[in-house]
Amino acid sequence: MSNYVSRLNSENAELQADYRSQYDLEDIRIKAQALGMVPKSDLEVRTVYVTIPQPEPEMTWLEELQWFLSGLFA
């Protein structure tokens, strides 16, 4: 089993090397900067906390009746 794992690790290393050799990282960086992207290290990090407002409870039919009658006889 350890031979199998070591063979998989070496195959993985070869595949990673092939993958990385197919891309020009400098070309990707230039294109990203042309699109307005910046390195993460150049950015300022801010944390935003959002509080979701609780909906006001709806009036019951009895409260609506009281509101109507108080407006009618006010």
Side-chain angles (χ1 to χ4, degrees):
M1 185 57 95
S2 63
N3 289 337
Y4 179 69
V5 171
S6 64
R7 192 181 65 191
L8 285 178
N9 285 335
S10 64
E11 183 181 343
N12 187 30
E14 289 175 19
L15 290 174
Q16 282 182 349
D18 289 344
Y19 174 77
R20 290 182 181 171
S21 67
Q22 292 177 1
Y23 293 101
D24 181 14
L25 295 180
E26 186 62 24
D27 182 48
I28 293 172
R29 185 186 64 76
I30 291 170
K31 288 179 181 178
Q33 285 181 339
L35 291 172
M37 296 181 179
V38 295
K40 184 178 178 180
S41 59
D42 293 351
L43 297 177
E44 181 180 333
V45 177
R46 293 185 183 185
T47 304
V48 177
Y49 296 99
V50 178
T51 304
I52 300 173
Q54 298 296 324
E56 294 183 15
E58 294 184 16
M59 292 175 50
T60 63
W61 69 272
L62 183 58
E63 291 171 334
E64 287 183 8
L65 180 62
Q66 289 173 341
W67 172 79
F68 176 75
L69 292 176
S70 65
L72 188 62
F73 297 113

